[in-house]
Amino acid sequence: MGDLRLFLFDMDGTLMVNQWEYHLSVVSMLKRLRTQGDMVILCTGRSRAHIPMEIWRQTDGAILLNGACCIYNNCVFLDRPLQEEMLIKCLDIGQALGIPMYLESNAHMAFWGTPEDFAKWGEDNGRLVELFDCQISCYREWKQQYGDEPIYKIDVASKCFQTYCYELMRQGIPCEQTDGGAGCHEILSPGVSKGNGLKLLLENVKRKDHVVICFGDGVNDISMFQYSDLCIAMGNAVPELKQIADYVTDSVENDGCEKALRILKLYEAID
């Protein structure tokens, strides 16, 4: 397949078993790939703040927030936060419809809604409430907490998303929409996706003899697969991703990434 290889890994459902847990073998796997001279890039809907440090240390960079922010060798080469005018319109629509949401920067996550909304969201989603840094009810409160820290995406409960999107379309608000998993859909700046982030990364770092190998499990990984030479879907992946994958491995719970690396002779495990 060539000597120069660029590995891309989604996180939730691919490297991470859930929001907090991953197998220790993940860290040793990434470390081994880099020791072999391969490049390792995370391609995730997560912000920088929600990537475990043990995993971050074993990478060359990351496509974060589903492509809204991209980092390579500690340098940001793509930064596409939501523009304030569009952001305020999106928040106003959510507030008018009574739809709870949460906002993400690269460092913070804030729940947008009433205390009652927050309590109900916690009942429905359990420990996920631990991810939030604060609960706010207006954009001014975000500004008071975090100043001009940019917001990259708005997450809306999937059960409310169709109603919300209809209103965005009716008012002619341009945005990118994607399934973020964990019962949420996301609003991003126009043109933002994992695939476009990967395309720009490859334009900056890929050499002609690089082979791009990616692992994923969700709908938001489809655009990433389009720019890869070898596409590997997890056993727990959505059917749409499995249909276009070159290989379907075992589930994240059963160390699907490492199994694929061994079976496809991409990785020699240390016994």
Side-chain angles (χ1 to χ4, degrees), residues 12 25 50-51 55 63 69 79 105 110 120 131 149 152 181 186 200 205 218 236 243 250 253:
D12 295 284
S25 59
H50 291 108
I51 296 176
I55 291 178
I63 297 167
C69 179
D79 192 52
S105 70
K120 179 63 168 59
L131 296 173
E149 188 174 304
Y152 290 89
E186 300 173 355
L200 185 60
V205 307
N236 50 278
Q243 287 173 3
D250 208 336
E253 291 88 353

Side-chain angles (χ1 to χ4, degrees), residues 224-249:
M224 174 176 70
F225 273 29
Q226 294 171 350
Y227 292 97
S228 301
D229 300 301
L230 177 60
C231 304
I232 301 169
M234 304 301 291
N236 50 278
V238 296
E240 302 97 306
L241 198 69
K242 289 180 178 180
Q243 287 173 3
I244 63 172
D246 298 303
Y247 180 78
V248 178
T249 186

Side-chain angles (χ1 to χ4, degrees), residues 35-154:
T35 300
Q36 294 177 166
D38 297 318
M39 189 183 302
V40 173
I41 302 289
L42 302 177
C43 197
T44 177
R46 292 186 177 219
S47 67
R48 171 65 186 87
H50 291 108
I51 296 176
M53 183 57 69
E54 294 85 353
I55 291 178
W56 180 261
R57 287 174 178 156
Q58 304 305 327
T59 69
D60 296 284
I63 297 167
L64 302 168
L65 298 153
N66 277 324
C69 179
C70 301
I71 300 172
Y72 175 67
N73 279 347
N74 293 318
C75 295
V76 176
F77 65 88
L78 176 65
D79 192 52
R80 292 284 305 279
L82 294 165
Q83 296 301 305
E84 190 169 58
E85 182 179 357
M86 171 190 165
L87 171 66
I88 291 172
K89 288 180 180 179
C90 290
L91 295 176
D92 286 346
I93 288 172
Q95 195 163 39
L97 293 172
I99 295 175
M101 304 174 286
Y102 59 91
L103 316 179
E104 288 191 64
S105 70
N106 231 334
H108 297 100
M109 186 183 292
F111 184 87
W112 172 285
T114 65
E116 292 75 19
D117 290 332
F118 186 71
K120 179 63 168 59
W121 204 91
E123 291 174 6
D124 294 340
N125 297 279
R127 278 192 68 196
L128 290 178
V129 296
E130 297 175 21
L131 296 173
F132 298 122
D133 297 295
C134 65
Q135 182 263 320
I136 60 176
S137 58
C138 64
Y139 183 53
R140 183 184 68 253
E141 292 178 11
W142 174 277
K143 299 284 281 188
Q144 289 172 345
Q145 289 268 7
Y146 308 120
D148 293 327
E149 188 174 304
I151 295 170
Y152 290 89
K153 63 178 182 173
I154 301 171

Side-chain angles (χ1 to χ4, degrees), residues 202-217:
L202 296 179
E203 289 172 356
N204 281 272
V205 307
K206 187 184 178 190
R207 289 160 52 174
K208 289 183 179 180
D209 45 358
H210 254 135
V211 175
V212 180
I213 304 162
C214 67
F215 290 76
D217 77 303

Side-chain angles (χ1 to χ4, degrees), residues 29 96 113 165 252:
M29 176 189 73
C165 282
V252 62

